[in-house]
Amino acid sequence: MIRTLIVDDQSMIRVGIRAILDSQDDITVVAEAENGRLGIERCRSLRPDVVLMDVRMPVLDGLAATRALLGPERTGGHTPRVLMLTTFDLDDYIYDALRAGASGFLLKDNEPEDLLRAVRVVAGGEALLAPSVTRRLIENFVEARPRRAAGATALNGLTDREREVLRLMALGLSNAEIAASLFIAEQTTKTHVSRILQKLGLRDRVQAVVFGYETGLVTPGGQA
């Protein structure tokens, strides 16, 4: 059973999301919260698998709450998966949330099926990468920001093959697509991905995409 927590300041949004999630046999809502501060408290006490986190909220916004749950300053051993909820697909808060460790984001006007798929994907340990939106979002903000020198230095610790796998990850390719592109087995790709994340200290594929752009390994508008 996937245990979820809904954090949103709009009661109608919470009620709607709860109805969708609770209608499923494999998903349950353990609690709701109307701001980031309450969301943190309930997350730490109830230990949900997935937190659906609104971006803009009073008292404490979703970005600050995500950093508290996933960032270096977090306390406690439980680390949930955070799925950001937003009304706008080009929200600068979202970019920072992805850097903070969120597993992806979902527009509030998406279909119920998209919400259910998103919860299951992030609960399964994957990042919710929609190349048509997430990649554009990252490109737009990385273009306006300086490259991370420390990150670029970290690339030196990767093998040539790992750098190529990371480049393809940053372009939004799945493991199967990377394997086909490099003429290697999909299991070999999974091994490379695990080693890349471990070597670079990255949480998941979303952070790998951000890292690839910020270090210049991939440039906005780049192709596989």
Side-chain angles (χ1 to χ4, degrees):
M1 182 69 71
I2 302 172
R3 304 174 73 254
T4 62
L5 168 67
I6 304 169
V7 186
D8 194 297
D9 64 323
Q10 298 182 56
S11 60
M12 289 185 65
I13 295 291
R14 297 198 307 271
V15 168
I17 292 176
R18 182 167 200 138
I20 294 170
L21 298 182
D22 277 342
S23 69
Q24 303 298 298
D25 294 335
D26 62 332
I27 303 174
T28 186
V29 177
V30 297
E32 301 174 17
E34 60 266 30
N35 61 64
R37 184 174 298 166
L38 286 175
I40 293 171
E41 293 174 2
R42 287 169 188 170
C43 182
R44 288 174 175 167
S45 62
L46 298 171
R47 302 169 69 86
D49 302 304
V50 177
V51 178
L52 292 95
M53 183 80 74
D54 188 20
V55 174
R56 301 175 185 274
M57 293 181 289
V59 184
L60 191 70
D61 64 44
L63 174 59
T66 298
R67 284 175 172 160
L69 292 174
L70 305 178
E73 68 272 25
R74 68 181 183 274
T75 58
H78 178 62
T79 305
R81 293 278 172 172
V82 174
L83 180 62
M84 305 300 298
L85 301 173
T86 181
T87 307
F88 309 102
D89 65 350
L90 290 179
D91 192 319
D92 56 348
Y93 278 78
I94 293 295
Y95 175 80
D96 288 331
L98 295 178
R99 287 194 63 187
S103 293
F105 72 95
L106 193 69
L107 299 179
K108 290 184 179 181
D109 60 359
N110 276 139
E111 296 297 321
E113 293 77 13
D114 295 324
L115 171 62
L116 295 172
R117 173 181 172 273
V119 169
R120 291 181 176 119
V121 166
V122 300
E126 295 295 325
L128 185 69
L129 281 175
S132 63
V133 178
T134 306
R135 182 179 165 191
R136 185 176 79 246
L137 171 78
I138 293 172
E139 286 186 355
N140 285 350
F141 287 101
V142 169
E143 260 189 318
R145 300 186 182 206
R147 292 183 181 179
R148 294 169 57 189
T153 301
L155 286 173
N156 296 331
L158 302 181
T159 65
D160 290 342
R161 176 48 60 95
E162 288 169 346
R163 287 168 67 99
E164 182 61 16
V165 170
L166 175 59
R167 186 183 73 83
L168 295 176
M169 288 170 63
L171 289 172
L173 274 65
S174 67
N175 284 348
E177 291 168 334
I178 293 173
S181 177
L182 298 179
F183 303 101
I184 58 178
E186 188 171 349
Q187 184 57 50
T188 302
T189 300
K190 291 180 180 179
T191 299
H192 283 312
V193 171
S194 295
R195 287 176 178 169
I196 290 166
L197 297 180
Q198 182 178 24
K199 285 183 177 182
L200 297 179
L202 303 175
R203 178 176 168 80
D204 56 27
R205 296 177 81 97
V206 169
Q207 289 195 320
V209 172
V210 173
F211 184 90
Y213 279 100
E214 289 191 328
T215 57
L217 183 64
V218 178
T219 57
Q223 300 295 320

